[in-house]
Amino acid sequence: SGIAAGLTCCFGQAVMSLCGACLGNDKPSSEAPSATSGRKRSVFLLFLSLAMALVFQYAVAPALQPGSVAQGVPNIGSYLVEAWTGGCLQYETVELQTKCSGNNGVYRSAGACFVFFLIAAMAAACKPTANRIAWGAKYILFLFFVTGTVFIPNEPLFSPIFLQLSRVGGAIFIFFQQIILIDMAYNWNESWVAKANEAEQDKEGGGRKWLMGILASCGVLYLASLVGIGIMYAYYSGSECSTNVAFITITLIMGIVCTAVQLSGEEASLLSSAVIFSYATYLCFTSVSKNPILECNPKLGDTDVLGIILGIVFVLVSLSWTGWSFTAAHKLGEESRSSSTISRQSSLVENGHMNTVNYGSGGDSQEGEQSKKVGGIVMNNGDDGEHTDSSGAKGGDEDENGPAKTWKLNIVLALISCFFAMALTSWGTIESGGDAANPDVGRVSMWIIIAGQWLALLLYLWTLAAPRLFPDRDFS
């Protein structure tokens, strides 16, 4: 018993230490939490919500079906089975009913997360520092939310109310996702160009491998996009599939147009265009795979494993950017303009600063040494603007924006909650055996996704064309 008590004590201390590291303030009580502490804890909470959604979908929902062991639990068993199968028993097979219950399980976790971040956004709007404090209590509140949803019937709160809300939120996030990907592409491009500069100073020609790496990455992304479009033409088109053909063709044309416009000017970089083209191809595939017509969708009725995996990947990418990107702190209002630590990419975009690759004798650079700008397809050209200080902010700038607007972060995370709900449930479709049990859902989802793609492509095209159409305006 003494050994058991000791092990229990050690386990308790380990759990408390873990909770303190994840939820508490890692600084002395006299020192305020940092701006990034709330951002990272928010992202961790959304990771937790995603994990709970998977548990609800693939473990809890199958265990709460009619005739299951859970139904025999006195008092509460029958109620839970009825709550989790509400609106699902209309489907003909047990497999469809279980998928329906699983989808509603995802809506429970995602819905609790959505409500939590909406409340957090309202709190942050009233008190900007609210996102940095009391995270232990916040996690307890969130777990209460999720636990409470277990006892709420599917209809009407989760299906159809939150389902429709998630579609709208997911479509909005598709639009915002493009901003995240462009930002990541700029960071990626700028990081490798900077490494090329450093390598070139150490050894003449040493920076070319980094520039070739950028071009190789672009080639891989473009090749993957073209292969994906070819596969969609081969398997998702036909005489009766004019809608699919139109979606695929528009994606191909817009990808080529965006790349051509980018190459003809000094805006953006080839890497950002490649990222956007590949993202548009993914959205096109997601859209045509929701087509409820069997002749136009060879995967109809099968579990969309690839779509779910890609959806989760994009969710994780978005969460990583939101939680750890330097530019996210500035764009999402987690830090005010004068106090934020803006990354090299942000300095490039906002101040027009251009890195150079020195083609001299290497080693110590001397004044007057000839240098060559990395421009064209690798990096957007631009006139050198104001240089920034070590913190990335313009020297002498005051805080023009007032208190940091941390509510933006919570709105973005609420939209991510909607998107991962749609990614895990194939946008609410319920399919089995080569048939769509709810074809109207698939048709609506198909148009929502492709509309989001068109808006994203048009926005990117506008960012390329606007500086040329209105040269006297500042679009930074």
Side-chain angles (χ1 to χ4, degrees), residues 11 28 58 74 88 96 109 168-169 175 180 185 206 307 321 332 362 364 409 414 426:
F11 177 76
Y58 295 107
C88 297
L96 290 174
S109 179
V168 176
F175 187 72
I180 294 178
W321 179 87
L332 298 180
D364 296 330
L409 168 70
S426 296

Side-chain angles (χ1 to χ4, degrees), residues 26-41:
D26 54 359
K27 297 181 178 181
S29 58
S30 58
E31 186 175 349
S34 66
T36 59
S37 63
R39 186 157 52 103
K40 293 179 180 178
R41 286 169 173 82

